[in-house]
Amino acid sequence: FGVAAPGSRSPRMEAGNIPSIKSLLVLDSDGKRIISRYYKGEFASLAEETAFEKKLSDKTIRTNAKNEAEIVMFDNMVTVYRNSADVWFYVIGHHAENELILVSALTALYDALTSVLRQAPDKRALMDNFDVLLLCIDELCDGGVILETDPTTIVNRAGMKGSDGAPTGPEAAFTEQSFNNMFASAREQLARSLLK
């Protein structure tokens, strides 16, 4: 427990010790971007982001991260990553960030996507369901702040359901039977108005 010089604060302390991530990446097996979210303004241009993604992919592509997340220190940032078929998922945090929190976020995203897609995520499934990928990421974190690490909750929120999986609010009462009743009532009113 070293004592910092007065007036000097680490970047982690300025964040208020709220678990957060710097970026979230999903890359294909060639290191090309499927989606990327950079939250902390680490790179000034798209070219710098792309170069970072390529270097990261080159460093991690030959590892075996299929069954569980791997952790690596890369460019003075903690990076956790996992492979699924032909895609690589990366969650990147500050060098002082807790690796277990980053692994938890990565696992939540992977498990939520596996649940929604009903298969292990691959490039084709993610591209075909890109909206689901975006919703899952948005439910996982906002502005880099990790909001949720429970995959079931992420899936339900991405599907706009309650935490128990059942619809909530006005749509909960709206069933096929109520739609049929409403349609029959409208048909009767239309028939009556035409007969007058």
Side-chain angles (χ1 to χ4, degrees):
F1 297 147
V3 178
S8 69
R9 294 172 56 177
S10 75
R12 264 315 275 147
M13 289 181 69
E14 290 176 13
N17 291 330
I18 297 172
S20 63
I21 61 177
K22 285 187 168 198
S23 56
L24 189 147
L25 309 171
V26 180
L27 306 177
D28 67 12
S29 56
D30 298 324
K32 293 193 173 47
R33 177 186 295 189
I34 294 174
I35 188 169
S36 68
R37 293 284 174 92
Y38 290 91
Y39 300 107
K40 303 295 181 190
E42 194 74 24
F43 302 101
S45 67
L46 177 62
E48 288 181 17
E49 289 176 0
T50 306
F52 171 77
E53 291 165 12
K54 184 65 177 156
K55 285 189 334 187
L56 181 62
S57 175
D58 289 345
K59 180 167 178 80
T60 59
I61 199 90
R62 289 168 187 50
T63 61
N64 184 15
K66 289 187 184 286
N67 297 325
E68 59 185 30
E70 295 286 331
I71 303 169
V72 66
M73 183 66 86
F74 185 74
D75 277 2
N76 202 29
M77 294 179 275
V78 176
T79 302
V80 296
Y81 61 97
R82 182 174 182 166
N83 171 251
S84 174
D86 57 352
V87 294
W88 291 79
F89 297 88
Y90 299 90
V91 173
I92 301 163
H94 188 269
H95 68 85
E97 189 63 71
N98 185 330
E99 296 90 353
L100 295 176
I101 291 174
L102 298 177
V103 168
S104 179
L106 175 66
T107 303
L109 176 63
Y110 179 85
D111 291 348
L113 289 170
T114 300
S115 177
V116 170
L117 299 173
R118 294 185 176 91
Q119 68 181 40
D122 61 18
K123 184 175 180 180
R124 181 177 176 91
L126 292 176
M127 296 304 282
D128 289 346
N129 298 284
F130 197 72
D131 57 336
V132 171
L133 174 60
L134 291 173
L135 287 170
C136 287
I137 290 171
D138 288 345
E139 292 301 329
L140 173 72
C141 64
D142 182 26
V145 176
I146 298 170
L147 300 175
E148 185 63 61
T149 57
D150 177 39
T152 304
T153 303
I154 292 171
V155 168
N156 290 337
R157 287 182 182 168
M160 297 183 192
K161 298 178 183 176
S163 60
D164 62 352
T168 59
E171 62 271 5
F174 191 76
T175 63
E176 187 175 343
Q177 182 64 37
S178 63
F179 177 76
N180 290 338
N181 290 342
M182 188 172 55
F183 185 70
S185 175
R187 187 176 43 209
E188 288 174 20
Q189 287 179 358
L190 181 64
R192 274 188 253 153
S193 68
L194 290 176
L195 293 176
K196 288 185 182 179

